[in-house]
Amino acid sequence: MENLAPLYVNHIQEQSRRVADVLAREQLQGLAIHSGQYRRQFLDDMNYPFKVNPHFKAWLPVLDNPNCWILTNGQEKPVLVFYRPEDFWHKVSDVPESFWTEHFDIKLLTKAEKVADLLPKNLDGWAYIGEHLDVADVLGFKSRNPDGVMNYLHWHRSFKTDYELECMREANRIAVIGHNAAREGFYKGASEFEIQQQYLSAIGQGENDVPYGNIIALNQNAAILHYTALEHSNPAQRLSFLIDAGASFHGYASDITRTYAFEKNAFDDLIKAMDKLQRELVELIRPGMRFTELHLATHNKLAALMLEMNIAKGDKDALVEQGVTSAFFPHGLGHMLGLQVHDVAGFANDERGTHLAAPAEHPFLRCTRVLAPRHVLTIEPGFYIIDSLLAVLKNDGRSALVNWDMVDTLRPFGGIRIEDNVIVHQERNENMTRVLGLN
């Protein structure tokens, strides 16, 4: 993407500004941000797949190289310690030459254990940022992931730069290609496993490249919120398909969900109604509102939908207040999105990390933030037939509020989730997923 280079200039300047600000506040000299290192599988000579430290990839799109470091004080040109060993067993990463390399003083590291030679001689005022605290101990870092620094960085990371927004648009574009391929596979009779392979092939990413394990669920499997089993055989009857799958671009994630019915029926009508509900929720987003308000609005809209579709009976407010809608929609409406699929600071009220708790009756929320321009969120209302949750309703005084015949009709289809990725702007909301044509 040719337009990334000019956007990256402002991105790296913003990263440095944030570091300079938090170092002055926390009275530190600099940050040593570790990309991470391999973890060996127990009783084996192979490693687990490498996942880079998100604080490292916030600076640059080096995603697959362990033992790298960024050294920054926010004032001078940041140093990239780039690991390039002499190794004939594995492919060695090339010395980077890309749109971002001119913004770093690059120093090559051939042996991971020799990194101390390239670190500042006196680390007393430097903070280690990373997961390998044993490495930090050996190197002599006294400050490791200090709360003041982490809370600050997490808070500001939720305000995406133009470079980050462009990366996330591209991550959506890639994922939409995969979703279209997966939908076609479903209607042509592919199994869950086959649909997964078709999705990955279409986007050109492997299972360890995508930001999370894809959910590819046929029929009742769609009622399992984090279903990842991927059956190789087809069900006796093809009824429904739920796909929750994303893609990565330069370390940034997309996270998209769609649900399909194999035939035109009551479940297909419900999908269309849920799609309309989801679009209405996106339109409600405004800077200054708490995400919790959107979640509560979802339950009110879902109660009205359940009455309209003859799934529930009685009063809309009673369905919400007595927890009936929660039994059909037990998860949160969405979450922050960025370098991680469930991005940081979803519960933060300020850069000090003050916690904004979720309402007691909605404990599974992943976000309670006051929304602001440059936030990126998922909006993903759902409706599911989860027998363990509905059994509680059926056995207490709320049973009369549910049309159990309709529940029985819908049970074989599993459930519905519709999820888009949305950028909050001052005067509008940008639905990256819909703009790209995925309906």
Side-chain angles (χ1 to χ4, degrees):
M1 296 180 65
E2 295 179 358
N3 61 332
L4 285 182
L7 298 179
Y8 184 79
V9 174
N10 292 328
H11 174 75
I12 197 73
Q13 290 174 349
E14 176 62 15
Q15 292 296 106
S16 295
R17 185 201 65 77
R18 294 173 186 176
V19 168
D21 188 29
V22 75
L23 291 180
R25 194 183 74 181
E26 299 297 318
Q27 299 184 318
L28 291 165
Q29 293 181 22
L31 302 181
I33 307 171
H34 188 197
S35 71
Q37 61 188 40
Y38 283 119
R39 289 187 180 275
R40 185 59 55 89
Q41 296 179 25
F42 183 56
L43 298 179
D44 208 330
D45 62 352
M46 293 190 296
N47 299 313
Y48 289 107
F50 175 71
K51 296 294 183 181
V52 68
N53 174 5
H55 285 284
F56 184 90
K57 65 177 177 172
W59 285 79
L60 75 179
V62 172
L63 312 175
D64 58 357
N65 200 18
N67 304 310
C68 295
W69 299 73
I70 292 170
L71 308 175
T72 175
N73 61 13
Q75 305 289 342
E76 301 170 297
K77 191 175 187 178
V79 173
L80 170 61
V81 177
F82 188 80
Y83 182 56
R84 196 168 190 274
E86 297 176 358
D87 185 351
F88 58 85
W89 291 103
H90 308 97
K91 183 183 184 301
V92 175
S93 296
D94 294 329
V95 176
E97 292 184 10
S98 188
F99 63 88
W100 55 266
T101 52
E102 65 181 276
H103 301 283
F104 290 85
D105 179 8
I106 300 176
K107 299 180 179 181
L108 299 182
L109 175 67
T110 58
K111 295 182 179 180
E113 64 273 17
K114 296 292 185 180
V115 69
D117 296 341
L118 301 178
L119 297 179
K121 299 305 178 187
N122 186 347
L123 294 174
D124 286 350
W126 285 74
Y128 171 88
I129 307 297
E131 66 170 312
H132 297 277
L133 301 185
D134 53 339
V135 173
D137 281 338
V138 170
L139 292 171
F141 285 96
K142 297 177 181 177
S143 178
R144 298 166 299 175
N145 300 323
D147 287 343
V149 172
M150 302 301 278
N151 287 330
Y152 177 97
L153 293 178
H154 289 169
W155 169 265
H156 287 278
R157 220 174 82 189
S158 61
F159 298 93
K160 304 298 188 288
T161 65
D162 289 341
Y163 163 79
E164 293 179 298
L165 293 178
E166 198 60 26
C167 287
M168 297 187 73
R169 293 184 185 105
E170 182 65 8
N172 266 263
R173 187 193 68 81
I174 296 168
V176 166
I177 294 171
H179 273 260
N180 287 331
R183 180 183 63 236
E184 183 178 356
F186 165 63
Y187 285 117
K188 287 185 175 179
S191 68
E192 292 173 349
F193 179 82
E194 290 167 339
I195 293 172
Q196 164 80 333
Q197 301 311 305
Q198 291 166 6
Y199 179 92
L200 295 175
S201 178
I203 68 171
Q205 296 182 12
E207 290 186 1
N208 292 322
D209 301 318
V210 292
Y212 58 96
N214 292 343
I215 297 169
I216 308 287
L218 297 178
N219 296 1
Q220 280 188 274
N221 292 334
I224 302 170
L225 299 183
H226 287 164
Y227 174 80
T228 56
L230 296 175
E231 295 286 347
H232 285 69
S233 58
N234 271 314
Q237 184 179 9
R238 183 168 295 255
L239 299 173
S240 62
F241 171 43
L242 185 152
I243 173 173
D244 186 335
S248 298
F249 182 76
H250 282 357
Y252 291 87
S254 57
D255 178 7
I256 302 169
T257 308
R258 288 295 185 271
T259 310
Y260 303 97
F262 195 66
E263 298 175 344
K264 303 298 182 184
N265 49 33
F267 186 73
D268 186 62
D269 293 339
L270 186 55
I271 293 173
K272 290 182 172 65
M274 286 294 296
D275 184 75
K276 178 175 180 290
L277 182 154
Q278 192 266 359
R279 291 172 186 254
E280 291 172 352
L281 291 169
V282 172
E283 289 301 314
L284 288 178
I285 297 172
R286 295 289 183 274
M289 76 183 305
R290 276 190 66 178
F291 194 76
T292 312
E293 296 175 48
L294 277 174
H295 179 79
L296 297 177
T298 306
H299 279 271
N300 288 324
K301 286 180 174 294
L302 184 60
L305 183 152
M306 291 172 64
L307 291 170
E308 178 184 345
M309 303 294 291
N310 196 30
I311 300 168
K313 309 172 185 178
D315 179 70
K316 176 169 71 81
D317 293 338
L319 294 177
V320 177
E321 292 167 4
Q322 296 188 41
V324 175
T325 54
S326 293
F328 291 90
F329 172 46
H331 60 76
L333 175 62
H335 49 80
M336 309 295 282
L337 183 67
L339 290 163
Q340 295 166 271
V341 67
H342 296 142
D343 217 11
V344 290
F347 297 96
N349 193 44
D350 52 42
E351 63 185 30
R352 297 282 184 180
T354 305
H355 187 74
L356 271 178
E361 62 272 23
H362 299 280
F364 301 116
L365 270 66
R366 295 187 185 271
C367 183
T368 58
R369 283 288 292 270
V370 176
L371 302 182
R374 296 188 178 275
H375 283 174
V376 181
L377 304 137
T378 67
I379 301 295
E380 48 182 305
F383 177 90
Y384 315 89
I385 306 298
I386 303 174
D387 287 332
S388 60
L389 299 180
L390 297 183
V392 180
L393 287 183
K394 199 165 190 177
N395 293 322
D396 63 24
R398 298 171 293 175
S399 180
L401 296 173
V402 177
N403 180 347
W404 295 104
D405 289 339
M406 182 59 77
V407 168
D408 290 340
T409 298
L410 296 174
R411 179 176 286 106
F413 297 87
I416 299 167
R417 185 162 61 254
I418 311 289
E419 178 182 21
D420 292 334
N421 302 166
V422 179
I423 304 171
V424 181
H425 296 287
Q426 185 62 52
E427 303 295 338
R428 65 187 178 92
N429 303 313
E430 179 184 344
N431 189 327
M432 294 183 282
T433 313
R434 302 275 182 173
V435 165
L436 290 162
L438 187 64
N439 294 312

